[in-house]
Amino acid sequence: MLPGENRIRDSFSSKFGIIAAAAGSAIGLGNIWRFPYVAGQNGGGAFLIIYLVFVAAIGIPVMMSEFTIGRMAQLNPVGAFKKIAPGKRWHLVGLLGVVSAFIILAFYTVVAGWTLEYLVQSVKWLFTSKTIGFSSMSTEALKAFFTDHYDHFLSGIWRPALWFVLMMFFTGYIVISGVKDGIEKYAKVLMPVLFIILIILVIRSVTLDGSKEGLIFLFKPDFSVVREKPVSVILEALGQAFFSLSIGMGTLITYGSYIRKKENLANTAVSVVAADTFTAVIAGLAIFPAVFSFGISPDQGPELVYITLPVIFQKMAGGFIWAFLFFLLLCFAAVTSTISVLEVIVAYFSEQLDMSRRNATILAMITVGFLGLLCTVSKDLFNLFNASPDLLLPLGGFFIVIFIGWFLSKNKSRKELSSNGAYSVGYYRIFIFLVRFVAPLAIAVLFLLGLYSKISNIFS
Ligand code: TRP
């Protein structure tokens, strides 16, 4: 008997709960903070097309593979590979995922913590009219305010550190309550609220004067940027697809292990991918029309959400309302993602090291907390962690598709995907083709290109 196999396992209680939790993992800062600025710097509509191709040809098959592994084994990523491929080294892929989870959670929770600071600033603005909070800051002051959070040394580290700890605490609080009574319960409420807020913001943004330019930027493919730097645009698109879909790290192996046998894995994966992609696009729709309407250039980079948007909110009628809604949205999106990453570590600790869920969560919070605090004091470490998913996730994704495509017998994957024959798997041949050839080849080529460009950056 493998460690963890004899434990009673929690599971998601409904189809909607699964989709809310998995979409909650996928939809996060990656969609609302990262996607708009990455698209903004890489050609807008042209980037979107390349991104969509990767999502369909690589994202969906990797996600289905992760769900398959998780649900087949009903264990955390390390235990899952040990169970399905006993005596082989595949569990190292799971271990890579757990290590990636520490790294991603540490820096991601730091960024998530910034949203709390901005939320508090918006609330101050709401209650005190135009005197406190970022309502009264000049653009320069807003820049400095953001840089303080990014460059923590300038004004002391305690505020970002405090927000980080608080965010870690919220995350742990939800995870400690369990899969059904914690993760699923919160995702089912937070995700619908998130969509409502986002739709309200989109309506506000596209009805501003001069917003049309923003729509053109987001939807009209202009390939000039792609022609200028094709490799980097393509790499950004792949990295963004992995990060945004939460794939390549075992998060969805872990969530897959809580999916009941009667659910249809393929249409769950497609729904989650569709929700994630839709959210990235409408986050762009909430942001770019407003950016163009106020005459700001779209390629601001990571500052887009944290400096540019507050500047815009100041100029909008009732700006505090929009600011408050926006940062609340960002905060909800972040929490439903941090819990999914923490869950990977908790499932690993509790099953592989045979700990109670409570102790596993506390141990995970302390260890990640330590790493995250290091990120709030060292910008170099923060930047290193922030850049690492670009390589770690495709690496994990590569082995996951190789495992499903070449190691696991077709009978087994077909059986799992069809829920033992309950669902038709008419897509199976396409799936296997993507998982055997298209995804591994594309990931391998792009991974090597990415590695090469990172190394040549270091030496140049
Ligand atoms: N997908 C989330 C986002 O877009 C972040 C995230 C959650 C993630 N879990 C992950 C990224 C696992 C990579 C792997 O913000």
Side-chain angles (χ1 to χ4, degrees), residues 32 43 88 120 134 136 140 145 311 347 365 376 414-415 420 440:
I32 296 160
K88 302 269 188 331
V120 168
F134 52 49
S136 56
E140 288 315 306
F145 186 68
V311 171
M365 283 167 71
T376 66
R414 195 188 279 119
K415 189 169 155 209
N420 217 352

Side-chain angles (χ1 to χ4, degrees), residues 25-26 28-31 104 108 243-244 246-247 249 251 337 340-341 393:
S25 169
L29 298 168
N31 302 61
I104 291 177
Y108 193 91
F243 189 80
S244 185
S246 296
I247 54 180
M249 201 203 77
T251 306
S337 297
S340 73
V341 188
L393 301 178

